[in-house]
Amino acid sequence: MKKLSFLFSCLVLFLSGCSMRVFNPISETARDQSFLILFSFFLMMIVLVVVFVMFARFMWKYRETEENKHTIPEDEEGNKAFELTWTILPIILLIVLAVPTVRMTYDMSAEVTSNPANAVHIEVTAQQFSWTFTYEGGVQTINNVTLPKDRPVVFHLNSKDVIHSFWIPRLGGKRDVMPGENRRLIVTPEETGTYQGKCAEFCGVDHAKMRFTTEVKSQQAYQQWLNEEKKEME
Ligand SMILES: [Cu+2]
């Protein structure tokens, strides 16, 4: 019992480190992604439970007893029904897993090249070890990006040096940022608030510190903020 409670406290301590941002999505992309993670997890859990129950059952059923101690079981010469079952069942499971995965992946790839109306365009420049955001009108912020709620945001991703990865877990759609390549990421935030963003590709000694905050404001507050920033520039 002591051992068990020790293990349990270790687990609690370990899990308290993660706040599961990915499972708390605030955009359609992030919602799709967290659905895929949970869907495949539960599908795998079904397989896992079935395998472990059968494992325990057979261990018990075919255990050594006083009666069977000296008998050698007969060889099995194949079993068509079993072989068909364990071939067809995984095929069905894989199809069930593949259909939403492929569909959502294609949807997301198509979205990246689309040109949504009423979009906000933001240039994102990654460099060791900070993020620079440039808005329409030349306004610039460092390690802090402000977004309007309910409007598609097109991030134009660029890197000055090495490969980075742009990721706002609650907004979803993590995307690698490659030097010399202009990449895009489109998301529509659906809730105001402050969210964490980070570099998700190891890029050097201070990679862990390459974080930024994401502030989602109402459209009015966003416009007001942008106007004030513009005024400050003059
Ligand atoms: Cu980085």
Side-chain angles (χ1 to χ4, degrees), residues 9 34 69 117 133 153-154 201 211:
S9 354
S34 97
K69 214 170 171 179
F133 301 95
V153 179
V154 183
E201 177 73 57
R211 293 169 174 235

Side-chain angles (χ1 to χ4, degrees), residues 129 131 163-165 199 201-203 207 210:
F129 298 93
W131 299 93
I163 302 173
H164 301 275
S165 186
C199 178
E201 177 73 57
F202 182 70
C203 59
H207 159 72
M210 205 171 150

